[in-house]
Amino acid sequence: MGTLSKEARPAATHVRPFLLSPRGLALLGVQTFFALATPLFGATVWTLGKAGAVLKALANGRITGPLLAPFLDLTADFVTYNRGIFATVFVAPASIAWDAVEALRDWMFDLQMPPVGDATLRKQIHAARVANVQRQIRELVTAGATRLCTARPGFLAMSMKAGIYKKHWGGVEVHALRDIIEIDEEREVVRVEPGCNMGRLSRELIKKGWSLQVLPELDDLTVGGLINGFGIETSSHKYGLFQHTCTAFEIVLPNGDVVYCDKDHEPDLFATIPWSHGTIGFLVAAEIKLIRAKPYVQIEYIPCHTQQECVEVFERASRDNGNDFVEELMYSKEMGVVMIGKLASSVPKGATLNVLSRWYKPWFFTHVASFLKRPAGAPHAVEYLPLRDYYHRHTRSIFWEIQDIVPSGNSWWYRYFIAWIGTPKISILKMTTTGKLKVLWETKHVAQDLLVPISTLKESLDLFHDELEVYPLWLCPMRMLSPPKNLLAERGEAPAVAVLNSDEPAYPPQEVTTPTGSLTPPPPAEQLFVDVGAYGVPKSQKFHYERSLQVIEKFVRGVQGYQALYADTMMSRGEFREMFDHQLYDKVRERFNCGERLPEIWDKVNKNARA
Ligand SMILES: Cc1cc2nc3c(=O)[nH]c(=O)nc-3n(C[C@H](O)[C@H](O)[C@H](O)COP(=O)(O)OP(=O)(O)OC[C@H]3O[C@@H](n4cnc5c(N)ncnc54)[C@H](O)[C@@H]3O)c2cc1C
């Protein structure tokens, strides 16, 4: 037998250097880790699952015993009333282990792939994953599933609530689609799968000198959730919501067909996917606009000591296109700090650099509050944050929710000696929520984002104070943009132009023709909205978890605002349809035969659909 010619052995000559390269060795190491750890991990999950089922049965009284019942009560009480200790000793280390495994998995994927610029192999893998979603849908339908939803377990979602329907409807696994498919530097877009989260995306993009126009705050927020739900960040005064920065979607319809849509191709579908909560189809890829990143953000902190000043300074900053980021934290009805951020290439000599991600740094909202103590007339404080630290500035304190979970978490001794353990993940906190805690959470706590026109900000602040009195209150400006031009032409309307500071020649107004779907485009004068975010334990004597929310929802409907649907909604179906324009949505659902198989949004987000 003759030997193979040199040309006939390309694979062998290719593989040897790769295996011996640092990349090859790293890949071998990670694969070995997963090969060994997977059965161990599976066995642990299985054991924990069984133990959980036994505990649940015990707690429900199906297995009782004179010794066990008091023990279980004590354990539940400990987890409920000593949440800080439990979160520090169990949840935080478990969160680190979880993040580490996920990071290793992502690293393994990237090691096997060519760089994201060279997308051929990534596209092939993505296509195989999409085919798998199609196959699942067709099999579920053939097997008689009447309703479909994503199979992503409820505890993984950021929303504090999980859909009860997940237990009964046919689940389609889309969470394996979690990678970046391509960064197209020429067109300045990234094509990404829906399960990719903001932590991963920001790390990958910033490394390459890019960022998203709107990069929402928490690491675990996913592209799919931010599009089908909603997504906002402090650059939304310029670019609109997360959905407005998307240029195309790839959807698997309830009959298993795949459709690509953008503003020219299937524009109705493109316009109605945002806020649709998976009730039109399953998102399997999105194309999102990029901007050039800079390594730092310069932040100017402007303390305000009257409500009028809080509103005026915030509105002025939000209308100025020269500001890359604008946000305000209100600490009482009258006091707040407006923050104006600008991307910066370097930290000037003598300026303050605040590396906020260091574990011993105070929670960001407490740091911001400290600027209220500056003497009147003192120059505004200015500091620089590394870009990623800025994007994820509220991640470590989960905005300010952490203060109710780990009350000592901001004391010096906790920060220096314990905080390095890490931040508890929302998913694990949700998994370990006891029944008592759920009731407390539901009746004594709010987490709501309401989007209102900026002209109603003062009125909104008064109402929030009256009904809730939750501080800090998050104010984030956002622009409500027009639907695609071709849809507008059908309605005989012209596209709205972002009304920004026209005196600033470096930042010309942008004509924006991205989808709004269920959100009625307002007249240009009312384009600027504010997300008023209330997270925490209300102190208002008037607060009642159902009545107060109904009062606020009625107000928001009255000013043609919107409620973010990750949170509880008390609205009836009729009220919900009044808030969200269903005209195009109904037309699209009918066209694609969504019918019963994908129920309406309200069926998924109303209070009774979630636990
Ligand atoms: C503590 C907390 C902090 C938050 N912070 C922010 C913030 O900083 N910025 C911000 O913008 N928002 C924030 N949110 C709200 C968040 O935007 C929403 O929860 C959002 O929907 C994204 O969450 P998720 O990635 O967990 O998606 P999920 O909750 O998993 O999904 C949202 C909806 O989209 C549907 N969906 C998801 N993927 C797909 C898919 N591939 N195909 C079809 N349907 C799909 C789901 O079924 C669900 O109905 C926060 C929420 C909480 C509770």
Side-chain angles (χ1 to χ4, degrees), residues 11 86 162 164 166 207 210 227 243 248 263 288 333 343 364 379 421 446 520 544 553 586-587:
F86 182 70
I164 299 173
K166 293 255 177 194
K207 224 166 43 187
W210 293 101
I227 292 169
Q243 70 199 57
K263 69 183 175 57
I288 312 171
K333 194 176 169 190
L343 288 163
F364 186 61
I421 298 174
V446 288
T520 314
H544 179 270
E553 284 169 351
D586 287 343
K587 190 173 129 192

Side-chain angles (χ1 to χ4, degrees), residues 149-150 152-154 156-161 165-166 174-175 193-195 197 214-218 220-233 241-242 251 273 276-285 391 394 398-399 401 426 430 441 447 449 474 531 535 564-567 604-605 610:
C149 62
T150 66
R152 188 176 188 226
L156 284 181
M158 280 296 96
S159 167
M160 296 300 183
K161 296 292 179 71
Y165 56 82
K166 293 255 177 194
V174 286
H175 48 282
E193 294 181 324
N197 69 26
V214 173
L215 202 151
E217 164 69 32
L218 298 191
D220 288 340
L221 293 164
T222 61
V223 166
L226 292 164
I227 292 169
N228 289 278
F230 106 115
I232 192 166
E233 189 38 71
L241 293 174
F242 188 80
I251 306 289
I273 287 298
S276 69
H277 283 258
T279 60
I280 294 177
F282 295 88
L283 178 77
V284 285
Y391 279 136
H394 295 301
I398 321 179
F399 283 82
E401 293 282 20
I426 292 178
K430 272 167 77 179
W441 191 263
D449 283 84
W474 192 51
D531 177 342
Y535 326 116
L565 299 176
Y566 73 87
K604 290 180 85 174
V605 303
R610 289 164 161 175

Side-chain angles (χ1 to χ4, degrees), residues 143-397:
T146 47
R147 294 189 158 193
L148 301 175
C149 62
T150 66
R152 188 176 188 226
F155 68 84
L156 284 181
M158 280 296 96
S159 167
M160 296 300 183
K161 296 292 179 71
I164 299 173
Y165 56 82
K166 293 255 177 194
K167 291 184 191 150
H168 314 295
W169 299 2
V172 179
E173 305 270 357
V174 286
H175 48 282
L177 286 94
R178 45 170 295 149
D179 293 301
I180 299 172
I181 306 168
E182 181 179 20
I183 296 175
D184 186 336
E185 302 206 340
E186 224 173 277
R187 291 178 52 230
E188 303 196 353
V189 292
V190 56
R191 197 161 156 242
V192 65
E193 294 181 324
C196 188
N197 69 26
M198 290 303 108
R200 177 149 190 233
L201 200 50
S202 64
R203 247 186 303 272
E204 193 64 41
L205 290 176
I206 291 172
K207 224 166 43 187
K208 297 183 164 51
W210 293 101
S211 183
L212 297 184
Q213 292 182 335
V214 173
L215 202 151
E217 164 69 32
L218 298 191
D219 277 0
D220 288 340
L221 293 164
T222 61
V223 166
L226 292 164
I227 292 169
N228 289 278
F230 106 115
I232 192 166
E233 189 38 71
T234 49
S235 53
S236 288
H237 65 296
K238 267 170 110 162
Y239 300 112
L241 293 174
F242 188 80
Q243 70 199 57
H244 296 119
T245 68
C246 297
T247 51
F249 302 132
E250 193 182 342
I251 306 289
V252 182
L253 295 169
N255 65 1
D257 290 350
V258 187
V259 185
Y260 168 92
C261 58
D262 61 22
K263 69 183 175 57
D264 301 315
H265 185 257
E266 296 287 0
D268 287 0
L269 181 63
F270 180 54
T272 42
I273 287 298
W275 294 75
S276 69
H277 283 258
T279 60
I280 294 177
F282 295 88
L283 178 77
V284 285
E287 199 178 78
I288 312 171
K289 284 188 217 162
L290 296 175
I291 48 166
R292 277 279 170 209
K294 291 186 183 169
Y296 302 99
V297 175
Q298 178 214 61
I299 309 189
E300 181 186 358
Y301 299 89
I302 310 175
C304 301
H305 295 275
T306 64
Q307 194 194 59
Q308 191 185 353
E309 194 187 0
C310 289
V311 170
E312 283 177 5
V313 174
F314 176 73
E315 180 165 354
R316 211 176 311 127
S318 306
R319 289 200 184 279
D320 187 343
N321 207 11
N323 298 328
D324 293 310
F325 308 101
V326 178
E327 103 186 284
E328 179 167 10
L329 300 189
M330 295 291 296
Y331 290 91
S332 71
K333 194 176 169 190
E334 301 291 333
M335 283 199 298
V337 178
V338 175
M339 283 164 272
I340 297 179
K342 291 187 178 170
L343 288 163
S345 306
S346 60
V347 180
K349 222 170 159 202
T352 310
L353 173 66
N354 184 356
V355 185
L356 202 66
S357 53
R358 294 197 177 133
W359 77 91
Y360 53 82
K361 291 283 179 167
W363 292 332
F364 186 61
F365 71 95
T366 61
H367 174 61
V368 176
S370 70
F371 296 110
L372 281 169
K373 295 191 193 120
R374 285 169 81 87
H380 299 153
V382 173
E383 59 181 19
Y384 288 75
L385 265 61
L387 182 59
R388 242 194 131 258
D389 290 28
Y390 175 79
Y391 279 136
H392 301 293
R393 68 205 172 282
H394 295 301
T395 296
R396 205 151 52 86
S397 52

Side-chain angles (χ1 to χ4, degrees), residues 2 12 20 54 97 137 149 180 218 279 331 453 486 510 602:
L20 295 178
V54 171
I137 293 176
C149 62
I180 299 172
L218 298 191
T279 60
Y331 290 91
N486 32 358
Q510 315 165 22
W602 187 83

